[in-house]
Amino acid sequence: VDLRLFQAYHQGLTWQEIRKTFELDSKASDKSWRMKKIHEFMQEDGKLKISAKVTKTIELVKQILGTNPNEKIIVFSQFIGFFDILKLSLANDYIDYLQYDGSMDITTKNDCINAFYKDPAKKLLLLSLKAGNVGLTLTCANHVIIAEPFWNPYVEKQAQDRVHRISQTKEVYVHRLLISGTIEDRIMELQKEKEELVESALDPNARSQIGKL
């Protein structure tokens, strides 16, 4: 399949066309398929090869809960597969968590949010970036971990705003996990370019200069 994906890309198919042709979206939403892939990544001794992102996320969660045991944390990610792997590490360290993503029905989602607010033992929420970046008020938490950058910087800002908004009484901390020398470098460059473009469009002086031209 990997070779076919490579060939399709060089034939000029767009990423959307490739995803549709190879049913990548439906596979990624299939939990059994994701778990099968995770087991394929496991070593012969049965241990999972943990990425730097998962390792750092666990490190941050332990650090925050160790220093501020009464505060709550939200981990944002675009990838449910990342949560699948992260949960294995959380379970290994006996860290309790909740998860909120687009595959859940409205009742389950509401129960999840209610538990995060009302249960003092539920200090960690794994939140899908697309499912939870708007429409939720989560000021019971004041720590945000963004596992990977998003192409649109304002999607990340909206995610942060779930915590940093009116009714928040604590100082808010945002941790962004980035790995240099990867595609994430390019994503950060594009984020900066998009932010500068929006700022210039909103700048009245800049608009005045454009009008003169």
Side-chain angles (χ1 to χ4, degrees), residues 83-178:
F83 287 152
D84 291 336
I85 297 173
L86 180 62
K87 287 187 293 187
L88 294 175
S89 295
L90 290 170
N92 188 57
D93 286 306
Y94 303 100
I95 300 174
D96 199 6
Y97 62 86
L98 294 165
Q99 182 171 342
Y100 182 110
D101 60 62
S103 69
M104 299 160 56
D105 59 51
I106 188 65
T107 300
T108 307
K109 287 180 177 178
N110 289 337
D111 289 344
C112 175
I113 298 304
N114 287 334
F116 191 53
Y117 260 97
K118 297 178 180 178
D119 189 342
K122 304 296 185 182
K123 301 181 185 300
L124 177 62
L125 175 64
L126 311 182
L127 189 53
S128 170
L129 187 62
K130 292 182 180 179
N133 71 313
V134 294
L136 290 176
T137 297
L138 297 168
T139 50
C140 61
N142 66 312
H143 293 270
V144 173
I145 299 174
I146 298 179
E148 66 279 323
F150 197 72
W151 293 100
N152 184 344
Y154 296 98
V155 172
E156 287 185 31
K157 292 183 184 297
Q158 287 176 332
Q160 296 172 32
D161 286 345
R162 300 313 95 213
V163 170
H164 190 259
R165 60 192 309 160
I166 294 173
S167 79
Q168 177 60 264
T169 59
K170 298 179 180 178
E171 188 170 2
V172 173
Y173 299 88
V174 178
H175 309 266
R176 303 175 74 196
L177 307 185
L178 303 170

Side-chain angles (χ1 to χ4, degrees), residues 3-4 11 35-36 75 87 156 166 209 213:
L3 178 60
R4 290 166 57 205
Q11 288 171 0
M35 296 310 296
K36 178 182 176 182
V75 177
K87 287 187 293 187
E156 287 185 31
I166 294 173
Q209 292 298 320
L213 289 174

Side-chain angles (χ1 to χ4, degrees), residues 32-87:
S32 61
W33 181 85
R34 297 198 311 269
M35 296 310 296
K36 178 182 176 182
K37 284 297 180 183
I38 289 174
H39 286 298
E40 289 177 3
F41 295 143
M42 298 185 74
Q43 301 173 340
E44 292 181 0
D45 59 2
K47 293 182 179 180
L48 188 65
K49 299 175 183 177
I50 301 299
S51 70
K53 291 263 180 149
V54 172
T55 301
K56 188 62 178 179
T57 301
I58 297 294
E59 178 185 318
L60 281 170
V61 168
K62 286 182 175 180
Q63 177 184 328
I64 293 167
L65 295 180
T67 306
N68 306 288
N70 294 321
E71 297 184 346
K72 298 195 175 190
I73 310 164
I74 300 176
V75 177
F76 281 100
S77 177
Q78 307 168 57
F79 307 108
I80 302 300
F82 173 79
F83 287 152
D84 291 336
I85 297 173
L86 180 62
K87 287 187 293 187

